Amino acid sequence: MPKFNSNEILDTIHMIDQQHLDVRTITMGVSLLDCCDADPKTACEKIYDKIARSAGELVRTGEAIEREFGIPIVNKRVSVTPIALVAGASRTDDYTPFAVALDKARAEVGVNFIGGFSALVQKGMTPADINLIRSIPSALSETELVCGSVNVGSTKAGINMDAVALMGRTIKELADKTANAAGFGCAKLVVFCNAVEDNPFMAGAFHGVSEPDRVINVGVSGPGVVYHALQSVKGQSFDVVAETVKKTAFRITRMGQLVAQEASARLGVPFGIVDLSLAPTPAIGDSVARILEEMGLQTCGTHGTTAALALLNDAVKKGGVMASSHVGGLSGAFIPVSEDEGMIAAAKAGTLCLDKLEAMTCVCSVGLDMIAVPGDTSAETLSAIIADEAAIGMVNSKTTAVRIIPAPGKKVGDMVEFGGLLGEAPVMPVHPESSAAFIARGGRIPAPMQSLKN
C-alpha cells in the first residue's frame, strides 16, 4: 500500500476546508448468490441476514475514519448481486418482496442507499429478468432507498430493443406510482449500456458476479477542487489546463485510496477500486459546469462545451490512475443536471438542452443523468432517448446510462424538487415528433464492428 506524507495531508485538509472535497461514498459490495432458494420467503430472509451480517460495521467504521482523519464521507452504501440472478431460483413472479428485504436490511445497517434491484438483459431476457423489470414500479415505489438498474446494451451484444421498449413503459409507470413525490422513484432507476460490475455510485451500483464475496469500493468527488485549481491558470493554454487537472485529480484520488485501504483493513474486507469521478452537488462551488465555464465558456452548453468536457474527463482519468493501485467504476466527470447548480442554471437559461447533453455524454462518464422532462412524455419517447444513449455507449465502448424523470403534472419550465444530494431539476423539453414506430420494431440492434476484438 502507498504511504502518505505530511504535505499531502496538509493539501488535503485545505481542499476539504475550502473546496468541498469529500469522499462521496464507501460502498460495500455483497454477493447474494448463496441466498438463492426455491421459497421466496426463505430467500428474502437469507438476503436480510447476509447483508446485516456483512455490512453491520460499515457505517460505524466510516464514521470512525471521518473522525480520525477529518475527511468527510458523505454516504455509506451497499450494493448487491443483481436480484434477477438471485430471485430467479424462487417460485414467484413478483420480486417486490426482495426489494422490501433489501430496504429492511439497509435500515438495519444504517446505510444511505442500497443498490442491486437489477437485471442484465443486453442480449436477451430470461423469465427472471422480465419478472424483475415488471416488479420495478412497485418495488421502487414501496421502498424508501432501494435503487435499481437494467443493462439493455453492450458493445459485444448490441442493444436489446425489446428491453428498451419495456423500460420506457416501466419508467412511466414508476413515475405515476410516485407522482405524489414528483416521480421520485425514477431517480432511483438507471438504464445502462456497458454497465460495470464495480461502480460504487447510486443509483446504478450492483455487485458483479466476478467480484469476491464482499468488497470495498470508494467513490471520491472534488469538482470544487478542480475549479479552484483552474482559477490559478486563467488565460493559459489547454496544455497547462490539462496538466493542472491531472495533478489535482492525483491529489483527490490519493485521499480516496487512503480511505479505501483504511476501510478495507478495519472491516477485513478486500479493497476493490477507487472510482475517481467528479461528482457534483447542488452546493455553490461544487459544480462540473462551473469548471467548464472556467475554461472560457460563457455558459455551459454553448459551443465548445463538448471539447472542454472531453479534456476534463481525460485529464481526470490520467491523473487519478497514477494515484491508486486499482482505479475502476466509472471514473471521469458526471453531468447530472439536478445535482449540479451550474447545470441547473444553464438549463434554466436555455443554453443547455437535451440534445447538447446527449452530445456531451460521448466524452464524459455515464450519460443523461437526473433529467426531468414533462410528465406527458410518452413511453416511446423515453425508450427512444434510452436507445440513443445506449447507441453512444455501444459504438464508443463506454458506459452510458439514462436516469430520466417524467415528472407527473409538470411542464417545460417548471422545477422539480428532490432535496439533498439529488437537488432540483428544471423540466426540459423533448422533441414532440413521435418515435413510436421506431420503438415498435423490437428485436436487437446488432453489435458494431468494435465487438470483434477477440
Side-chain angles (χ1 to χ4, degrees):
M1 288 292 184
K3 302 297 183 183
F4 298 85
N5 62 46
S6 58
N7 287 334
E8 285 184 287
I9 294 170
L10 290 172
D11 284 344
T12 300
I13 291 170
H14 178 69
M15 291 187 289
I16 291 168
D17 286 345
Q18 304 296 325
Q19 300 166 11
H20 300 282
L21 178 62
D22 58 52
V23 167
R24 188 55 47 85
T25 178
I26 296 177
T27 300
M28 179 183 286
V30 180
S31 174
L32 300 182
L33 291 175
D34 55 351
C35 297
C36 296
D37 198 284
D39 176 30
K41 182 178 179 182
T42 301
C44 288
E45 290 172 352
K46 288 181 178 180
I47 287 170
Y48 173 85
D49 290 342
K50 177 82 181 274
I51 296 169
R53 184 172 67 252
S54 299
E57 295 299 316
L58 178 62
V59 171
R60 281 188 287 274
T61 300
E63 290 172 346
I65 293 171
E66 282 187 276
R67 289 192 303 270
E68 293 173 35
F69 290 89
I71 297 173
I73 301 172
V74 179
N75 276 186
K76 295 84 177 173
R77 300 166 174 169
V78 169
S79 63
V80 300
T81 306
I83 288 297
L85 300 178
V86 181
S90 298
R91 292 187 295 267
T92 180
D93 56 8
D94 179 11
Y95 291 177
T96 304
F98 289 86
V100 172
L102 292 177
D103 210 31
K104 181 182 175 185
R106 174 206 58 79
E108 172 64 24
V109 300
V111 293
N112 303 93
F113 288 99
I114 188 165
F117 196 79
S118 306
L120 311 175
V121 299
Q122 56 267 27
K123 204 169 184 178
M125 292 184 281
T126 67
D129 295 325
I130 294 171
N131 288 340
L132 183 129
I133 294 172
R134 288 177 174 167
S135 299
I136 283 173
S138 59
L140 298 193
S141 63
E142 294 176 21
T143 57
E144 185 179 2
L145 294 170
V146 172
C147 295
S149 59
V150 178
N151 192 71
V152 298
S154 73
T155 299
K156 284 287 189 182
I159 303 171
N160 183 344
M161 291 300 291
D162 294 320
V164 168
L166 182 55
M167 288 311 299
R169 299 192 294 271
T170 300
I171 291 169
K172 283 288 288 184
E173 185 179 347
L174 178 56
D176 290 341
K177 280 186 172 290
T178 55
N180 60 345
F184 174 72
C186 298
K188 301 187 292 176
L189 176 64
V190 180
V191 185
F192 277 118
C193 177
N194 288 323
V196 297
E197 296 189 323
D198 56 3
N199 166 28
F201 286 99
M202 299 296 171
F206 62 85
H207 185 70
V209 295
S210 68
E211 297 286 304
D213 189 59
R214 295 189 299 162
V215 70
I216 289 292
N217 297 320
V218 167
V220 297
S221 186
V225 181
V226 175
Y227 173 74
H228 280 83
L230 291 184
Q231 287 183 312
S232 66
V233 295
K234 286 183 182 292
Q236 298 191 45
S237 73
F238 284 115
D239 304 276
V240 175
V241 171
E243 284 299 310
T244 302
V245 175
K246 283 196 294 184
K247 291 175 182 176
T248 306
F250 178 90
R251 294 159 63 197
I252 293 169
T253 309
R254 290 286 280 180
M255 183 194 71
Q257 174 83 4
L258 170 63
V259 170
Q261 66 189 41
E262 281 294 323
S264 171
R266 296 182 187 198
L267 290 165
V269 175
F271 160 51
I273 56 94
V274 174
D275 186 317
L276 49 94
S277 297
L278 295 183
T281 71
I284 302 296
D286 201 25
S287 161
V288 169
R290 300 305 186 195
I291 296 173
L292 306 180
E293 292 169 358
E294 185 61 28
M295 291 186 196
L297 305 172
Q298 182 176 345
T299 306
C300 178
T302 193
H303 305 295
T305 299
T306 305
L309 184 58
L311 182 154
L312 175 64
N313 203 61
D314 180 66
V316 165
K317 290 177 186 290
K318 286 175 177 173
V321 78
M322 294 296 293
S324 174
S325 54
H326 299 288
V327 170
L330 302 169
S331 288
F334 289 174
I335 52 171
V337 174
S338 78
E339 299 173 19
D340 186 310
E341 62 85 17
M343 296 282 179
I344 294 169
K348 284 181 175 179
T351 311
L352 189 63
C353 63
L354 201 57
D355 290 341
K356 184 61 178 180
L357 280 165
E358 183 182 297
M360 292 164 67
T361 66
C362 296
V363 300
C364 78
S365 291
V366 200
L368 298 173
D369 195 12
M370 286 304 292
I371 294 168
V373 296
D376 60 1
T377 302
S378 70
E380 292 80 9
T381 294
L382 296 173
S383 293
I385 291 169
I386 292 168
D388 282 343
E389 195 59 32
I392 290 171
M394 175 184 71
V395 171
N396 290 287
S397 301
K398 69 185 293 290
T399 303
T400 53
V402 173
R403 185 162 49 148
I404 192 166
I405 300 98
K410 300 291 186 179
K411 61 184 185 300
V412 174
D414 291 343
M415 294 297 295
V416 183
E417 299 277 349
F418 298 114
L421 287 176
L422 297 176
E424 60 176 2
V427 177
M428 303 175 72
V430 299
H431 291 290
E433 294 79 11
S434 176
S435 306
F438 174 77
I439 296 301
R441 287 179 178 272
R444 185 151 54 98
I445 292 179
M449 284 298 294
Q450 291 95 313
S451 68
L452 300 177
K453 291 182 177 180
N454 292 338

